[in-house]
Amino acid sequence: MWSSRLFWKLFLSYAGLLLAIVVILAALISARQKEQVLSHLQDRLHDDAVILRPLVAGALESGLHDGLQELAGKLAGETGTRITVITNEGSVVADSEQDPALMENHLDRPEVRLAAERGAGVWIHLSRTLGIPMMYFALRVQSAEAQVGFVRVALPLHLVEERVTV
């Protein structure tokens, strides 16, 4: 039996087929897991933005942005998220990672455009400030009368890769 050519042909064929099935299943499971982690990450960012929105609404409405930079830095340190507060005109008035005075207008960012149109927007792109891929979630901030700006939170995508590979 062990010296039979037919046995070895069948054995190698079935072994190759089994290996191919295992590789395909692993790829499918990994893709599904990554999708679930991205969905969880988006839910977390949404919750962070919803909690942050009332904390910045008054300052955006009044135009008095004193204290927003400190608040963004403190909350970002506690939550591990990047926090950006943006006016209706696109000016950054607070950012947990960069001096807002050095930052460009954010009105053209995809997640901010979506938030202006729909109330909320999520987008994955390379951070121009940090140079790393991140998931961003922007939420429109409104006063009783009108829209007053946006709050945007973000997490680096390397967290997704870490959770998928573990």
Side-chain angles (χ1 to χ4, degrees), residues 2 7 30 37 42 57 60 73 76 86 99 114 119 132-134 166:
W2 295 108
F7 169 78
S30 178
V37 171
Q42 181 177 337
L60 284 171
I86 306 162
D99 179 0
L114 286 170
I132 59 173
M134 299 186 77
V166 170

Side-chain angles (χ1 to χ4, degrees), residues 25-110:
L25 281 176
L28 290 173
I29 290 169
S30 178
R32 177 68 178 138
Q33 185 181 15
K34 185 173 184 177
E35 182 181 306
Q36 287 178 329
V37 171
L38 282 171
S39 176
H40 175 71
L41 196 62
Q42 181 177 337
D43 290 344
R44 176 182 167 196
L45 290 173
H46 170 268
D47 294 346
D48 288 351
V50 166
I51 291 168
L52 187 58
R53 181 170 45 188
L55 299 175
V56 301
L60 284 171
E61 184 177 12
S62 69
L64 302 173
H65 306 133
D66 297 339
L68 283 181
Q69 181 69 12
E70 183 180 332
L71 176 68
K74 182 178 184 228
L75 291 175
E78 292 177 8
T79 62
T81 58
R82 179 178 181 191
I83 298 172
T84 309
V85 181
I86 306 162
T87 66
N88 265 343
E89 295 76 33
S91 300
V92 176
V93 293
D95 187 84
S96 60
E97 300 292 328
Q98 178 87 15
D99 179 0
L102 303 174
M103 298 178 74
E104 60 192 37
N105 190 295
H106 276 46
L107 213 51
D108 67 332
R109 304 295 164 91

